Amino acid sequence: MIHLLINTLAEKVNDFLSSYYERAEIIVEAGSIEATPAEDQSDKIILSIVNIERETAMGISSPYRKAQGNTFQRTSPPWHLNIYIMVAAIFTPKRYLESIQILSDTISFLQQNPSLNIPGQDIVTLEPITTSIQELSNIWSILGGHYYPSVLCKARMISFDGKEIKDIKQRISSQEIN
């Protein structure tokens, strides 16, 4: 599921920027952000997952679901997760102004397209995350210590639900005492 999210997002942003800038090469790709980017990662927008958290708004689901008639199925409750994605402009220093323009256009695309249809999922929404300088410093330290112009986004809500039935129980509708 997560790989579908990040790949779909990268493809959609890349399609937009490639037509906007009329470039044949890939401008946006999913990958890890390196302190010293590889040559194939330089001069691109890189989408990298920096955190995965539980979505607390969904509460905790019961392991039982109503089936047909008076039966209930026991399954593992689904997990609802949010994915934090760093959208970074990894460009050489001499192309800094161009990187800011491309990042700006990327942010504009994300603002205009706040929801993403992922195959096999409900709609996933995207929103920017406000980070303090301290939080940003911590994130970039973890990513290798070199800062690149970026925006942190939250993709809400990826659901993991295997729907594997573990047990079937019959509902008791009355009590008989002898």
Side-chain angles (χ1 to χ4, degrees):
M1 300 284 186
I2 297 171
H3 72 286
L4 281 174
L5 165 71
I6 195 98
N7 281 331
T8 302
L9 182 59
E11 286 173 7
K12 290 192 179 293
V13 176
N14 187 65
D15 289 346
F16 170 76
L17 291 177
S18 293
S19 66
Y20 192 76
Y21 285 98
E22 297 179 0
R23 288 188 181 182
E25 73 268 8
I26 294 174
I27 300 172
V28 181
E29 64 181 41
S32 63
I33 297 172
E34 309 285 329
T36 307
E39 190 172 313
D40 66 333
Q41 234 187 9
S42 188
D43 298 337
K44 293 182 180 173
I45 298 291
I46 303 295
L47 307 181
S48 185
I49 295 172
V50 295
N51 193 23
I52 300 172
E53 73 174 5
R54 178 177 165 252
E55 172 59 67
T56 56
M58 296 302 291
I60 298 174
S61 300
S62 168
Y64 289 97
R65 297 180 184 176
K66 183 158 176 48
Q68 296 175 344
N70 287 335
T71 60
F72 289 85
Q73 300 172 341
R74 186 171 64 93
T75 63
S76 296
W79 286 13
H80 306 288
L81 303 174
N82 297 321
I83 313 297
Y84 287 80
I85 301 169
M86 181 65 74
V87 180
I90 313 291
F91 283 73
T92 57
K94 63 184 173 186
R95 295 183 73 187
Y96 181 77
L97 290 176
E98 181 184 4
S99 75
I100 297 299
Q101 182 60 52
I102 293 174
L103 180 63
S104 178
D105 292 334
T106 301
I107 292 169
S108 179
F109 174 83
L110 295 172
Q111 184 272 326
Q112 294 172 42
N113 299 281
S115 59
L116 195 59
N117 192 0
I118 307 295
Q121 279 287 320
D122 291 331
I123 301 287
V124 174
T125 60
L126 299 168
E127 61 188 57
I129 298 298
T130 302
T131 53
S132 69
I133 293 294
Q134 181 64 45
E135 291 169 324
L136 195 59
S137 176
N138 290 343
I139 291 170
W140 282 103
S141 293
I142 290 168
L143 293 175
H146 187 87
Y147 172 78
Y148 293 100
S150 59
V151 63
L152 184 62
C153 294
K154 182 194 293 190
R156 301 179 71 119
M157 183 169 57
I158 301 290
S159 297
F160 287 83
D161 187 1
K163 297 185 183 189
E164 178 182 307
I165 299 171
K166 297 185 181 222
D167 196 10
I168 297 177
K169 302 278 185 188
Q170 182 133 5
R171 183 179 74 148
I172 299 172
S173 57
S174 67
Q175 183 176 5
E176 291 184 21
I177 300 176
N178 292 333

